[in-house]
Amino acid sequence: MKSLQHILTGLFVSALFFSCKPTVPRHIIQPDEMEDILYDCHVADAMASLEYGDQTNYNSRLYRLGALKKHGITEAEFDSSMVYYTRHADRLHTIYENLAKRLGDEALALGADANDINRADIEVGDTANIWTAGRDIVLMPTPPYNYAGMYVEADSSYHRGDRFIFSCEAQFLYQDGLRDGIAHVAVKYSNDSIAIRTMRMSSNNRFNLEVPNSDSLGIKSVRAFVLLMKDRRSSETTVKLMSLKNIRLIRCHPQKKKEEKKDDQKGAPSPASSPMSRPEPTTTDTVRPAKP
């Protein structure tokens, strides 16, 4: 009887816990609808980025207002909802995780190649993608959602002379403030020297960053991260998001030089090099006299 009472008590406590779980207020755009709206906003920004000149910012705002009108949402309703989600960064991060997957799936459906590494502007050969922090991510200036990175210690698959190329497609969704994304790659070599490369990202574009290895050193470890910096001069409640797609950190083995083919018939004159057909050396040739 006591065990039954304990079970009922446990069920009551569980029901009470789930009933008290905080939900998004009714006057706020719900997560599923917000995901759809943000998706259309990203499409609007992509359309505007294809245009040049002074009309880009104007068209971006115009297209975004069209996306809100499509969902029957006013700009004031969208802004107030974004203020709520910005203050609840975990929920906004979940929305953008779903959105990043949705954008990636659609790119594949439109013909993008998930294994395509040519877009990183590298020579295809003995290569591998060693980035482990997620292919598509979304960052916001609020820690810990402003950072994504990885660290790997080299093993037998790393060779002397390996170089590294980081690449990604960046897209910003900002209402105000300075767009300031950072990509950082640091390679530690066998002699304990460290090569560091850093680049800033502030526009909707594709970015590449290379760490060469011209000295053909061995590799000890590789560290890489992306970071979205905070603009302290802008509003704390406006939308500031950086979406990174198709993130790769390509490890490229050095290209082996082709060995010169040896002539098995060395010393045997060919028809073209017989004494009867051999041309006289010009003044630029160096001719050694034969030993007597």
Side-chain angles (χ1 to χ4, degrees):
M1 187 67 178
K2 289 184 178 181
S3 61
L4 178 61
Q5 185 177 2
H6 290 162
I7 293 174
L8 293 175
T9 302
L11 292 174
F12 175 77
V13 172
S14 299
L16 183 63
F17 172 78
F18 285 109
S19 64
C20 296
K21 186 177 181 179
T23 58
V24 178
R26 292 185 177 180
H27 68 281
I28 299 298
I29 301 173
Q30 297 301 299
D32 290 343
E33 186 177 7
M34 179 59 76
E35 180 183 326
D36 292 337
I37 295 173
L38 290 174
Y39 174 85
D40 287 336
C41 286
H42 271 283
V43 173
D45 285 343
M47 292 171 58
S49 67
L50 297 176
E51 303 177 14
Y52 300 94
D54 299 334
Q55 295 294 319
T56 302
N57 293 332
Y58 172 79
N59 288 334
S60 178
R61 175 172 171 76
L62 186 65
Y63 294 157
R64 197 174 293 182
L65 290 175
L68 298 179
K69 184 177 180 180
K70 171 185 173 182
H71 294 274
I73 301 296
T74 65
E75 189 174 13
E77 291 172 333
F78 176 76
D79 290 342
S80 62
S81 294
M82 284 306 303
V83 169
Y84 169 84
Y85 282 108
T86 302
R87 292 174 177 171
H88 297 78
D90 55 335
R91 292 181 176 176
L92 185 59
H93 189 259
T94 300
I95 290 175
Y96 258 88
E97 281 185 331
N98 297 334
L99 185 58
K101 184 178 184 303
R102 180 173 171 180
L103 291 169
D105 291 343
E106 179 162 341
L108 291 176
L110 293 175
D113 185 359
N115 298 316
D116 181 18
I117 62 175
N118 294 325
R119 299 179 64 184
D121 296 332
I122 66 174
E123 296 179 2
V124 178
D126 192 1
T127 62
N129 181 17
I130 64 171
W131 177 262
T132 58
R135 181 187 173 197
D136 303 316
I137 62 176
V138 176
L139 301 179
M140 58 189 69
T142 306
Y145 307 113
N146 63 334
Y147 171 91
M150 52 146 288
Y151 172 82
V152 60
E153 293 185 356
D155 54 23
S156 59
S157 64
Y158 289 74
H159 297 171
R160 296 176 63 88
D162 281 353
R163 63 189 177 105
F164 299 86
I165 300 178
F166 175 90
S167 67
C168 69
E169 297 173 9
Q171 187 174 22
F172 291 84
L173 184 60
Y174 266 56
Q175 288 183 309
D176 69 348
L178 179 66
R179 305 176 179 187
D180 191 8
I182 295 176
H184 173 96
V185 180
V187 180
K188 186 175 184 180
Y189 298 111
S190 55
N191 63 354
D192 288 332
S193 64
I194 300 177
I196 298 175
R197 295 292 186 274
T198 302
M199 70 176 176
R200 310 300 280 261
M201 299 176 287
S202 59
S203 62
N204 296 342
N205 209 335
R206 181 167 187 85
F207 295 90
N208 293 331
L209 172 67
E210 180 175 356
V211 182
N213 191 352
S214 57
D215 294 332
S216 298
L217 297 172
I219 308 297
K220 278 191 174 182
S221 64
V222 181
R223 185 186 302 275
F225 66 80
V226 288
L227 177 69
L228 182 59
M229 300 295 290
K230 186 175 184 178
D231 183 4
R232 300 185 181 278
R233 296 170 297 179
S234 63
S235 172
E236 294 285 343
T237 58
T238 53
V239 182
K240 299 178 185 66
L241 299 168
M242 179 175 70
S243 172
L244 299 178
K245 298 171 55 181
N246 300 320
I247 305 174
R248 295 178 176 88
L249 180 58
I250 304 298
R251 182 197 65 215
C252 310
H253 289 332
Q255 297 287 336
K256 295 182 179 179
K257 295 182 179 180
K258 296 181 179 179
E259 297 181 358
E260 296 182 358
K261 297 182 179 180
K262 296 182 179 180
D263 187 359
D264 294 336
Q265 298 180 349
K266 186 176 181 180
S270 61
S273 60
S274 62
M276 296 298 295
S277 60
R278 182 180 300 164
E280 292 294 329
T282 63
T283 56
T284 58
D285 292 337
T286 301
V287 180
R288 292 183 180 180
K291 293 182 180 181

